[in-house]
Amino acid sequence: MRLEYFQMVDRITSLDVPGGKIATACLVPEQSPVFEGHFPGYPILPGVLLIETMAQTGGWLILATQHCAKMPFLMQVEKAKMRAFVSPGQPLEVEATLLHEGSGYAVVKATIVSGGKKVTEAEIRYGVVPFPNETLKVAMLETARRVGLPEEFCNGA
Amino acid sequence: MASTYETVSGIISDTCDIEPDKITPESHAINDLGIDSLDFLDVAFAIDKAFGIKMPLEQWTQDVNAGTVTTDEYFVLKNLCANIDKLVAAKA
């Protein structure tokens, strides 16, 4: 994870597009300016970044489903629960399941587990729209390869 | 069994926190009921789930933008319900 660049997902560890499931691995960095403010003397990963981590994981599932032809943008977070603190250096296992693929929108349920314990969960809704420009499309394809999205799911952009 | 209109108006009332007596078959979801795009996402999700369909919102948006139909065709509730009924029938 590179928190300052909003690179939350390190790599995709499993992907089942027909089954609507994905898992990713994310390692919380030992050091980040984020921890200087959140909180002084007691560094924990902000809950909004846990939500972002789940949103990005679900986003990769939707991108794979769309063969990277459309971009999911976060629109709504429901039933988010922060069950435990997440500290610097902690590995996270993130899972997302597609609940519904609508026309122009999608809904996933996501969870984060660390050390066998569920730390957070949420239902996340996205607007799924054509890429607004070429720069973003190129950047997303580069990131797709970095996180290990199989090439067969990158061919629709 | 509830009619399509009863189900849809119930979804709108619950999802958008609108008093049931303010919703009629002639209501325009946007112009009369003030449902914005985010709330409509909730409504669409609830309708898709309730009827087991996938409302073709992208196609409807293209139709409106192309000027081939007005928003009334899709957002006046009696018309929305008629379109839902067509989608349900097509699925059967």
Side-chain angles (χ1 to χ4, degrees), chain A residues 16-49:
Chain A
D16 173 9
V17 171
K21 291 182 184 299
I22 192 171
T24 64
C26 314
L27 179 62
V28 182
E30 290 284 356
Q31 296 190 338
S32 166
V34 169
F35 297 131
E36 294 174 16
H38 196 282
F39 293 100
Y42 192 69
I44 54 173
L45 192 67
V48 290
L49 295 184

Coordinates of all heavy atoms in Angstrom, one line a residue, chain A residues 16-49:
Chain A
D16 N -12.5 -14.7 -9.5 CA -13.5 -15.6 -10.1 C -14.6 -14.7 -10.7 O -15.5 -14.3 -10.0 CB -14.0 -16.5 -9.0 CG -15.2 -17.4 -9.5 OD1 -15.5 -17.4 -10.7 OD2 -15.8 -18.0 -8.7
V17 N -14.4 -14.3 -12.0 CA -15.4 -13.4 -12.6 C -16.7 -14.0 -12.7 O -17.7 -13.4 -12.4 CB -14.8 -12.8 -13.9 CG1 -15.9 -12.0 -14.7 CG2 -13.6 -11.9 -13.6
P18 N -16.8 -15.2 -13.3 CA -18.2 -15.8 -13.4 C -18.9 -15.9 -12.0 O -20.1 -15.8 -11.9 CB -17.9 -17.2 -14.0 CG -16.6 -17.1 -14.7 CD -15.8 -16.1 -13.8
G19 N -18.1 -16.2 -11.0 CA -18.7 -16.3 -9.6 C -18.8 -15.0 -8.9 O -19.3 -15.0 -7.8
G20 N -18.3 -13.9 -9.5 CA -18.4 -12.6 -8.9 C -17.6 -12.5 -7.6 O -18.1 -11.8 -6.7
K21 N -16.4 -13.0 -7.6 CA -15.6 -12.9 -6.4 C -14.2 -12.5 -6.7 O -13.6 -12.9 -7.7 CB -15.6 -14.2 -5.6 CG -16.9 -14.6 -5.0 CD -16.8 -16.0 -4.3 CE -18.1 -16.5 -3.8 NZ -18.7 -15.6 -2.8
I22 N -13.6 -11.7 -5.7 CA -12.2 -11.3 -5.9 C -11.6 -11.3 -4.5 O -12.3 -11.1 -3.5 CB -12.0 -10.0 -6.5 CG1 -10.6 -9.7 -6.9 CG2 -12.6 -8.9 -5.6 CD1 -10.4 -8.4 -7.8
A23 N -10.2 -11.5 -4.4 CA -9.5 -11.3 -3.1 C -8.2 -10.6 -3.5 O -7.6 -10.8 -4.5 CB -9.2 -12.7 -2.5
T24 N -7.8 -9.7 -2.6 CA -6.6 -9.0 -2.8 C -5.8 -9.0 -1.5 O -6.3 -9.2 -0.4 CB -6.8 -7.5 -3.2 OG1 -7.5 -6.8 -2.1 CG2 -7.7 -7.4 -4.4
A25 N -4.5 -8.7 -1.6 CA -3.6 -8.6 -0.5 C -3.1 -7.2 -0.4 O -2.7 -6.6 -1.4 CB -2.4 -9.6 -0.6
C26 N -3.0 -6.7 0.8 CA -2.6 -5.3 1.0 C -1.8 -5.2 2.3 O -2.3 -5.7 3.3 CB -3.8 -4.4 1.1 SG -5.1 -4.6 -0.1
L27 N -0.6 -4.7 2.2 CA 0.3 -4.6 3.4 C 0.3 -3.2 3.8 O 0.8 -2.3 3.1 CB 1.7 -5.1 3.1 CG 2.7 -5.1 4.2 CD1 2.2 -5.9 5.4 CD2 4.1 -5.5 3.8
V28 N -0.2 -2.9 5.0 CA -0.1 -1.5 5.6 C 1.3 -1.1 5.8 O 2.1 -1.9 6.4 CB -0.9 -1.4 6.9 CG1 -0.9 0.0 7.4 CG2 -2.3 -1.9 6.7
P29 N 1.8 0.0 5.2 CA 3.2 0.4 5.4 C 3.6 0.6 6.8 O 2.7 1.0 7.7 CB 3.3 1.7 4.5 CG 1.9 2.2 4.5 CD 1.0 1.0 4.5
E30 N 4.8 0.4 7.1 CA 5.3 0.7 8.5 C 5.3 2.2 8.8 O 5.1 2.6 9.9 CB 6.7 0.1 8.6 CG 6.8 -1.4 8.7 CD 6.4 -2.0 10.0 OE1 6.1 -1.2 10.9 OE2 6.3 -3.2 10.1
Q31 N 5.6 2.9 7.7 CA 5.7 4.4 7.9 C 4.9 5.1 6.9 O 4.9 4.7 5.7 CB 7.1 4.9 7.9 CG 8.0 4.3 9.0 CD 9.3 4.9 9.1 OE1 9.8 5.5 8.2 NE2 9.9 4.8 10.3
S32 N 4.2 6.2 7.2 CA 3.5 7.1 6.3 C 3.2 8.4 7.0 O 2.9 8.4 8.2 CB 2.2 6.4 5.8 OG 1.4 7.3 5.2
P33 N 3.2 9.5 6.3 CA 2.8 10.7 6.9 C 1.4 10.7 7.5 O 1.0 11.4 8.4 CB 2.8 11.7 5.7 CG 3.8 11.2 4.8 CD 3.7 9.6 4.9
V34 N 0.6 9.8 6.9 CA -0.8 9.6 7.4 C -0.8 9.3 8.9 O -1.6 9.8 9.7 CB -1.5 8.5 6.7 CG1 -2.9 8.1 7.3 CG2 -1.8 8.9 5.2
F35 N 0.2 8.5 9.3 CA 0.2 8.1 10.7 C 0.7 9.2 11.7 O 0.6 9.1 12.9 CB 1.1 6.8 10.9 CG 0.6 5.6 10.1 CD1 1.4 4.9 9.3 CD2 -0.8 5.3 10.3 CE1 0.9 3.8 8.6 CE2 -1.3 4.2 9.6 CZ -0.4 3.4 8.7
E36 N 1.3 10.2 11.1 CA 1.8 11.3 11.9 C 0.6 12.1 12.5 O 0.6 12.6 13.6 CB 2.6 12.3 11.1 CG 4.0 11.7 10.7 CD 4.8 12.6 9.7 OE1 4.5 13.8 9.7 OE2 5.7 12.0 9.1
G37 N -0.5 12.1 11.7 CA -1.7 12.8 12.2 C -2.8 11.8 12.8 O -3.7 12.2 13.5
H38 N -2.7 10.6 12.4 CA -3.8 9.6 12.7 C -3.2 8.4 13.4 O -3.0 7.4 12.7 CB -4.5 9.3 11.5 CG -5.9 8.6 11.7 ND1 -6.0 7.3 12.1 CD2 -7.1 9.1 11.6 CE1 -7.3 7.0 12.2 NE2 -8.0 8.1 12.0
F39 N -2.8 8.4 14.7 CA -2.9 9.5 15.5 C -1.5 9.7 16.2 O -0.7 8.7 16.3 CB -3.9 9.3 16.7 CG -5.3 9.2 16.2 CD1 -5.9 8.0 16.1 CD2 -6.0 10.4 15.9 CE1 -7.2 7.9 15.6 CE2 -7.3 10.3 15.5 CZ -7.9 9.0 15.4
P40 N -1.1 10.9 16.6 CA 0.2 11.1 17.2 C 0.4 10.1 18.4 O -0.4 10.1 19.3 CB 0.1 12.6 17.7 CG -0.9 13.2 16.8 CD -1.9 12.1 16.5
G41 N 1.4 9.3 18.3 CA 1.7 8.4 19.4 C 0.9 7.1 19.4 O 1.1 6.2 20.2
Y42 N -0.1 7.1 18.5 CA -1.0 5.9 18.4 C -1.4 5.7 16.9 O -2.6 6.0 16.6 CB -2.2 6.0 19.3 CG -3.0 4.7 19.5 CD1 -2.4 3.7 20.2 CD2 -4.2 4.5 19.0 CE1 -3.0 2.5 20.4 CE2 -4.9 3.3 19.1 CZ -4.3 2.3 19.8 OH -5.0 1.1 20.0
P43 N -0.5 5.3 16.1 CA -0.8 5.2 14.6 C -1.7 4.0 14.3 O -1.5 2.9 14.6 CB 0.6 4.9 14.0 CG 1.4 4.3 15.1 CD 0.9 4.8 16.4
I44 N -2.9 4.4 13.7 CA -3.8 3.4 13.1 C -4.3 3.8 11.8 O -4.3 5.1 11.5 CB -5.0 3.1 14.1 CG1 -5.7 4.4 14.4 CG2 -4.6 2.4 15.3 CD1 -7.0 4.2 15.2
L45 N -4.6 2.9 10.9 CA -5.1 3.2 9.6 C -6.5 3.8 9.7 O -7.4 3.2 10.3 CB -5.1 1.9 8.7 CG -5.3 2.1 7.2 CD1 -4.1 2.8 6.6 CD2 -5.5 0.8 6.5
P46 N -6.7 5.0 9.1 CA -8.0 5.6 9.1 C -9.1 4.8 8.5 O -8.8 4.1 7.5 CB -7.8 6.9 8.3 CG -6.3 7.2 8.4 CD -5.7 5.9 8.4
G47 N -10.2 4.8 9.1 CA -11.4 4.0 8.6 C -11.7 4.3 7.2 O -12.1 3.4 6.4
V48 N -11.6 5.6 6.8 CA -11.9 5.9 5.4 C -10.9 5.2 4.4 O -11.3 4.9 3.3 CB -11.8 7.5 5.2 CG1 -13.0 8.2 5.9 CG2 -10.5 8.1 5.6
L49 N -9.7 5.0 4.9 CA -8.8 4.2 4.0 C -9.1 2.7 4.0 O -8.8 2.1 3.0 CB -7.3 4.5 4.4 CG -6.9 6.0 4.2 CD1 -5.4 6.1 4.6 CD2 -7.2 6.5 2.8

